Amino acid sequence: MTDIHSDKILILDFGAQYTQLIARRIREFGVYCEIWAWDHDPAEIAAYGAKGIILSGGPESTTEAGSPRAPQQVFDAGVPILGICYGMQTMAMQLGGNVEGGHHREFGYAEVEVTAECALLDGLKDHAGSPPRLDVWMSHGDRVTDIPEGFDIVARTESVDIIAMADERRRWYGVQFHPEVTHTTSGEQMLRRFAVDICGCSTLWTAANIIDDQIARVRAQVGEDEVLLGLSGGVDSSVVAALLHKAIGERLTCVFVDTGLLRWQEGDQVMAMFAEHMGVKVIRVNAADRYFAALEGVADPEAKRKIIGRLFVEIFEEESAKLRNVKWLAQGTIYPDVIESAGSKTGKAHVIKSHHNVGGLPEHMKLGLVEPLRELFKDEVRRIGVELGLPHGMVYRHPFPGPGLGVRILGEVRREYAELLARADAIFIDELRKSGWYDKTSQAFAVFLPVKSVGVVGDARAYEWVIALRAVETVDFMTAHWAHLPYDLLDDCSRRIINELRGVSRVVYDISGKPPATIEWE
């Protein structure tokens, strides 16, 4: 079987917000890569066996004492190196060049002129004519003012003389711009050229190969033992279920806890897809009564989250205790979770945190962990889900919070509120899908507001609930813009919700960005 990890790139993270984007771009064209903190154990860096190393950007200044540096083992490895932004600056500084601060900060679009031949940039041009010019994205204050011995200047802008440098003999390159962001038009070609042409990596990292690799690994790990999975209906746990079912079949048991706080009719949909359509062994626990009883009178968002989380663990433990032969617990941990928990040994790396739901199950369960997605980014998980035969509409669904509707019902959670909200949400999503706006937004949902508003229903005055609609566009969920949905679409949503749902007299649309607002209301 092909070793899909044999040809690999190592990315050393200096704390840039774009570092994960570098890895995702490289994996998109089929090359495996990992992200390690810049201060990772140098001996492990030397032993890793990467075919090339990328030094990421970062928020520090190389001109300040104690700022991050690449370990000497990077330069001793004898492999191609690509320094991006801060990565280029620390390369220049460490190899005998010079970097200066205090210059006018360059942020955003810039046009770069390629001034000399090099394997990284040859033949790339975003504009007609000569010399070749490239559209790139800048984000830096410091700049390289002297290049190290052995390097040539290969690109410049009108205001900055050294924008890219190359040492062709050692195959070391530095660029002041960010090739990983889509604003750099030829950025993906540069990264492909570095990983595939310069480093010589084969493009083995494909959805089909990843599935085959993980099936072999799971079988080797669990042998003939049985595996337990908490199936939430979300993308990660659904893909884990499909993958494990393909790997071990009947030896997988899923526990699906229907909390009463899920999307409209989601419990039935999960059972239809996994139990009936795919033949997965799923135990459905109808626990809505327990959840609503536990949440009665509780209005504080954090208290609600704790109750919902604790109850899930209790129910999961109760069900697992009935299964005598289970030795392994499967979880939907993905690669951003792993990067975050690895962190940095010095704490100097400015790690941008990712949101994730790592199951906090009790240690006394004494089960081994199976985490078949722990090498994968979310977009890779989705591609694998489609390859495994899961419906595209389910795999590419918008994110849904772990506590479900419990944090979309403001204040106390009641059964009648949850049902009303789930149905309003379903109408909103249905209209977004019909209009083609669902895939243009990153996350869209309805919120139940615990306030009553006067309305007119038929000829009578009504005093009924308010539903808020929220839709955002974002790349990383750290910042977000409210989606500018057409008025006609909002009108359709409002009329349907008010007409079809008894108890709602008013619908409002949330036009807050993040920051200052968060995406979820609680």
Side-chain angles (χ1 to χ4, degrees), residues 411-472:
E412 185 186 5
V413 175
R414 294 185 185 176
R415 187 189 299 269
E416 60 268 30
Y417 299 170
E419 183 173 326
L420 204 60
L421 177 58
R423 292 178 66 192
D425 187 75
I427 291 169
F428 185 33
I429 298 304
D430 181 52
E431 289 297 328
L432 287 172
R433 287 193 186 280
K434 286 196 298 193
S435 63
W437 270 90
Y438 185 81
D439 290 330
K440 295 179 193 172
T441 56
S442 309
Q443 192 168 0
F445 54 91
V447 179
F448 179 89
L449 306 187
V451 291
K452 285 194 169 182
S453 158
V454 174
V456 178
V457 179
D459 293 327
R461 283 165 66 82
Y463 192 52
E464 295 176 327
W465 300 113
V466 179
I467 293 287
L469 304 181
R470 177 95 160 122
V472 298

Side-chain angles (χ1 to χ4, degrees), residues 331-507:
Q331 287 194 160
T333 308
I334 63 174
Y335 192 44
D337 306 336
V338 176
I339 297 168
E340 179 184 331
S341 59
S344 152
K345 74 179 185 196
T346 63
K348 287 182 186 172
H350 294 229
V351 180
I352 304 285
K353 296 290 185 186
S354 327
H355 288 280
H356 59 94
N357 296 308
V358 178
L361 293 170
E363 285 182 22
H364 66 253
M365 288 184 76
K366 298 284 186 283
L367 299 176
L369 266 189
V370 179
E371 298 176 310
L373 309 182
R374 66 179 285 115
E375 288 183 342
L376 307 180
F377 287 104
K378 193 76 166 192
D379 47 345
E380 294 174 310
V381 173
R382 290 193 164 108
R383 285 200 291 273
I384 280 174
V386 171
E387 185 85 17
L388 284 164
L390 294 175
H392 185 278
M394 192 228 91
V395 171
Y396 283 88
R397 267 198 313 199
H398 290 176
F400 189 67
L405 301 182
V407 290
R408 290 179 178 173
I409 297 167
L410 304 196
E412 185 186 5
V413 175
R414 294 185 185 176
R415 187 189 299 269
E416 60 268 30
Y417 299 170
E419 183 173 326
L420 204 60
L421 177 58
R423 292 178 66 192
D425 187 75
I427 291 169
F428 185 33
I429 298 304
D430 181 52
E431 289 297 328
L432 287 172
R433 287 193 186 280
K434 286 196 298 193
S435 63
W437 270 90
Y438 185 81
D439 290 330
K440 295 179 193 172
T441 56
S442 309
Q443 192 168 0
F445 54 91
V447 179
F448 179 89
L449 306 187
V451 291
K452 285 194 169 182
S453 158
V454 174
V456 178
V457 179
D459 293 327
R461 283 165 66 82
Y463 192 52
E464 295 176 327
W465 300 113
V466 179
I467 293 287
L469 304 181
R470 177 95 160 122
V472 298
E473 295 168 353
T474 178
V475 173
D476 54 14
F477 288 89
M478 290 155 59
T479 61
H481 301 290
W482 63 274
H484 292 213
L485 300 181
Y487 289 157
D488 287 349
L489 172 56
L490 290 170
D491 185 38
D492 290 341
C493 294
S494 175
R495 280 190 291 107
R496 276 195 63 191
I497 289 169
I498 292 169
N499 289 338
E500 294 176 29
L501 303 183
R502 289 288 302 275
V504 178
S505 65
R506 195 174 296 268
V507 173

Side-chain angles (χ1 to χ4, degrees), residues 111-117 123-134 156:
E111 190 177 288
V112 165
E113 181 184 311
V114 179
T115 56
E117 292 185 1
L124 299 180
K125 56 172 15 180
D126 299 327
H127 300 272
S130 192
R133 287 169 297 139
L134 301 169
R156 63 182 297 278

Side-chain angles (χ1 to χ4, degrees), residues 168-367:
E168 292 287 26
R169 184 182 65 81
R170 291 182 288 190
R171 299 175 299 164
W172 292 355
Y173 306 89
V175 294
Q176 188 56 73
F177 52 85
H178 288 271
E180 68 273 24
V181 301
T182 53
H183 303 79
T184 299
T185 308
S186 298
E188 186 182 329
Q189 287 174 271
M190 292 175 207
L191 292 173
R192 174 187 278 274
R193 187 169 286 184
F194 177 73
V196 177
D197 300 341
I198 295 170
C199 298
C201 292
S202 300
T203 51
L204 305 172
W205 190 254
T206 64
N209 283 350
I210 293 167
I211 290 168
D212 290 344
D213 178 73
Q214 283 301 333
I215 286 172
R217 285 205 210 183
V218 167
R219 287 173 178 166
Q221 182 183 9
V222 308
E224 295 301 310
D225 296 340
E226 293 189 15
V227 179
L228 177 65
L229 169 67
L231 180 62
S232 69
V235 176
D236 299 337
S237 71
S238 296
V239 173
V240 171
L243 189 59
L244 291 180
H245 182 64
K246 192 164 183 179
I248 60 173
E250 283 290 302
R251 286 179 287 120
L252 169 68
T253 300
C254 297
V255 173
F256 172 62
V257 180
D258 192 338
T259 62
L261 301 171
L262 303 175
R263 298 174 178 99
W264 180 243
Q265 296 180 329
E266 185 163 22
D268 294 340
Q269 290 163 8
V270 167
M271 294 306 292
M273 184 193 311
F274 288 99
E276 295 163 33
H277 174 60
M278 293 175 64
V280 179
K281 201 185 333 177
V282 184
I283 298 167
R284 178 177 183 172
V285 184
N286 293 311
D289 291 347
R290 283 175 71 174
Y291 275 86
F292 291 123
L295 290 164
E296 189 175 346
V298 180
D300 178 70
E302 275 310 301
K304 289 194 291 184
R305 284 177 185 274
K306 283 179 180 157
I307 290 166
I308 292 167
R310 189 187 70 236
L311 202 46
F312 176 82
V313 172
E314 277 177 25
I315 293 167
F316 196 81
E317 277 198 276
E318 288 165 15
E319 294 304 320
S320 65
K322 300 173 189 173
L323 304 168
R324 295 280 173 237
N325 300 319
V326 168
K327 300 284 196 320
W328 300 88
L329 174 69
Q331 287 194 160
T333 308
I334 63 174
Y335 192 44
D337 306 336
V338 176
I339 297 168
E340 179 184 331
S341 59
S344 152
K345 74 179 185 196
T346 63
K348 287 182 186 172
H350 294 229
V351 180
I352 304 285
K353 296 290 185 186
S354 327
H355 288 280
H356 59 94
N357 296 308
V358 178
L361 293 170
E363 285 182 22
H364 66 253
M365 288 184 76
K366 298 284 186 283
L367 299 176

